[in-house]
Amino acid sequence: MTDHQPLIGPERRELLLRAAVRDGLLDPEETPLAAFLDLDAVTETVAALHAAFPARLDVLHAFAAKANPLGPVLRRLRGLGMGCEVASPGEFAQALAAGFAPDRIVLDSPAKTRRELALALDLGVAVNIDNWQELARVDDLLNGRPTASRIGVRVNPQVGGGSIAAMSTATATSKFGIPLADPGYADRLVDAFRARPWLSGLHCHVGSQGVDLSLMAAGVGATVDLAERINHELGRRQVTGIDLGGGLPVNFADDRIAPGFDAYVEQLRRHAPALFDGGYRLVTEFGRSVLAKAGFTASYVEYTKQAGGRAIAVGHAGAQVATRTVFMPDSWPLRVTAHHPTGAAKHGDPVPQDIAGPCCFAGDLVARDRPLPLLDPGDLVCLLDTGAYYASHHFSYNSLPEPPVHGARTDPDGTVRFELLRPAQTIDDLVARTTA
Ligand SMILES: *Cc1c(COP(=O)(O)O)cnc(C)c1O
């Protein structure tokens, strides 16, 4: 997999979709909605990530659990050599349950409780401290407590935002990290490191989607500059770890991988050459770029209708599985493909159609006015590039149950084998969950 080449294309998706129908994983009555992850494509992507960084460097690629915290997904990524970045007590527990060794877990929650911090320090999980108060809290907790944890500080390089405000973490007023350009803060950080020989890392994460590579790399560059300054002023190599965060943007417009990890590493070489000296242990925290393009979500069309001259296809994929797309359609557009009930691609003259979900509010549309072959009841639609932050991030509107998620692997002879990544939530589960 290199830059600009597709990871998977229409043929592979159609193969998987047909196999899913044939195996009964999609069924108009029993399972009108299901999500799929092409595990071969995931393997390829993780290999491309590893290959993008020079082999002589010590790099821990910690998957951002936020992007898809399903147990079998985390276990598979662990098997492919990744670590795990976690940002809540739930993700922390999921990473441990998936078998990640504590020294391959990185804890980044912005609102860590004392208990969460104490657990991380006791287990030897790496911790990135978010703010001055948390630093004081860690001082307290470390008093007399030995720890194997690598402890760093998250900085906000304040390099600016990208095209999606809600995803831009390095703006002047971002809630994350210690802002480097605020008066006196960089000096105060140097002093903080001087007083605490156990502080050994710096962390930044500039954004998640919508931030271009040079801005991301500039944020890392500012972080590495601070590391060099601390080491220089202290006269010792105290900062030994740089955590670059994640945020490689994903191309949702077509099947190409653009940009790839290689292009980002090239930008890093330009903006942060010291990263490649071999003097730092590196951590990355990619999430979306590891999984998004390997996934798709399939739904049957239940009804079709016309309103005010608009063709509308009503199906089962809506805000409950595509929350961002429904609420912020301009920032999070998804491609949609049309299929016959067998899964075979549907051809025909494109007709602008709204692809509506099952939720009872008017905006529950996963695509608006989208030219597609005219859909009929019983057809299937697929939402593409949904391997991260979609079906795994259920929004329980209208008491719609969580759909099943299946992993797929394809043998060289074209035989598709599925494995369950998350069972469907049953209506009984759902009722039990809402009964005190
Ligand atoms: C969300 C997040 C990530 C992952 O971002 P992606 O866009 O999914 O790569 C990594 N690190 C931190 C601190 C995050 O908040």
Side-chain angles (χ1 to χ4, degrees):
M1 184 185 105
T2 50
D3 257 37
H4 298 290
Q5 279 187 344
L7 179 64
I8 55 178
E11 297 79 19
R12 176 97 73 98
R13 278 189 298 267
E14 186 178 324
L15 180 74
L16 301 191
L17 190 63
R18 281 171 175 275
V21 171
R22 201 182 315 125
D23 289 7
L25 303 183
L26 283 159
D27 178 85
E29 290 303 330
E30 295 297 323
T31 318
L33 174 69
F36 298 89
L37 193 63
D38 185 326
L39 299 174
D40 299 319
V42 173
T43 301
E44 249 186 272
T45 305
V46 174
L49 171 58
H50 281 112
F53 286 78
R56 62 184 168 76
L57 295 184
D58 179 1
V59 190
L60 173 66
H61 292 293
F63 173 69
K66 178 179 63 186
N68 189 330
L70 303 181
V73 172
L74 295 183
R75 278 200 298 279
R76 176 163 295 271
L77 293 171
R78 174 172 62 76
L80 295 172
M82 295 195 79
C84 194
E85 183 266 349
V86 299
S88 72
E91 289 177 5
F92 193 172
Q94 285 167 319
L96 291 171
F100 286 97
D103 66 356
R104 297 180 65 79
I105 299 176
V106 179
L107 176 64
D108 280 348
S109 331
K112 304 175 198 76
T113 62
R114 277 178 192 282
R115 187 187 300 175
E116 199 178 355
L117 283 167
L119 179 64
L121 296 172
D122 286 344
L123 292 176
V125 163
V127 174
N128 287 316
I129 292 170
D130 179 80
N131 57 67
W132 301 114
Q133 291 177 358
E134 191 182 330
L135 182 59
R137 188 173 278 192
V138 172
D139 282 339
D140 268 4
L141 287 166
L142 283 179
N143 196 2
R145 178 195 300 260
T147 182
S149 295
R150 293 168 196 264
I151 306 177
V153 174
R154 177 168 182 171
V155 297
N156 171 7
Q158 291 168 304
V159 288
S163 62
I164 310 177
M167 296 292 127
S168 299
T169 44
T171 57
T173 58
S174 164
K175 74 168 181 173
F176 294 107
I178 293 182
L180 281 188
D182 277 25
Y185 275 16
D187 294 341
R188 205 170 145 192
L189 275 170
V190 177
D191 292 340
F193 275 74
R194 183 178 288 115
R196 296 172 183 79
W198 44 266
L199 274 178
S200 65
L202 286 175
H203 169 227
C204 71
H205 170 70
V206 171
S208 291
Q209 192 67 13
V211 176
D212 67 49
L213 295 189
S214 60
L215 192 68
M216 287 172 59
V220 174
T223 306
V224 174
D225 287 349
L226 177 66
E228 300 271 284
R229 179 182 158 195
I230 292 171
N231 288 345
H232 179 75
E233 290 195 22
L234 270 49
R236 56 179 188 250
R237 264 201 95 72
Q238 185 170 327
V239 181
T240 53
I242 303 284
D243 181 335
L244 327 179
L248 190 77
V250 164
N251 165 29
F252 285 94
D254 57 42
D255 280 325
R256 290 169 314 140
I257 303 298
F261 297 111
D262 288 344
Y264 184 40
V265 170
E266 220 175 278
Q267 288 290 328
L268 288 171
R269 284 185 188 282
R270 192 164 311 159
H271 290 270
L275 278 184
F276 300 89
D277 288 353
Y280 294 104
R281 178 178 192 266
L282 308 186
V283 174
T284 72
E285 305 175 344
F286 295 109
R288 182 177 289 106
S289 51
V290 177
L291 295 182
K293 295 199 81 66
F296 65 90
T297 304
S299 158
Y300 282 99
V301 174
E302 199 67 48
Y303 299 107
T304 59
K305 62 203 287 191
Q306 294 275 337
R310 175 73 52 87
I312 304 168
V314 182
H316 294 276
Q320 88 279 33
V321 287
T323 314
R324 280 182 176 148
T325 296
V326 167
F327 288 106
M328 299 176 72
D330 297 332
S331 296
W332 298 101
L334 284 177
R335 293 182 290 153
V336 178
T337 54
H339 303 263
H340 293 287
T342 57
K346 194 164 190 180
H347 299 288
D349 290 340
V351 178
Q353 292 164 83
D354 282 358
I355 311 301
C359 299
C360 293
F361 65 95
D364 188 35
L365 305 172
V366 292
R368 294 161 199 251
D369 219 4
R370 184 73 60 85
L372 284 171
L374 191 63
L375 289 159
D376 293 302
D379 284 345
L380 283 158
V381 292
C382 290
L383 315 187
L384 307 192
D385 308 322
T386 55
Y389 302 99
Y390 279 93
S392 56
H393 288 54
H394 191 78
F395 171 44
S396 51
Y397 201 89
N398 275 138
S399 295
L400 289 158
E402 295 178 0
V405 182
H406 299 280
R409 299 216 274 163
T410 310
D411 291 340
D413 69 358
T415 308
V416 179
R417 287 173 296 125
F418 291 101
E419 62 184 82
L420 192 60
L421 303 179
R422 183 184 68 192
Q425 185 179 32
T426 65
I427 297 295
D428 287 348
D429 289 343
L430 199 148
V431 172
R433 186 76 191 84
T434 48
T435 305

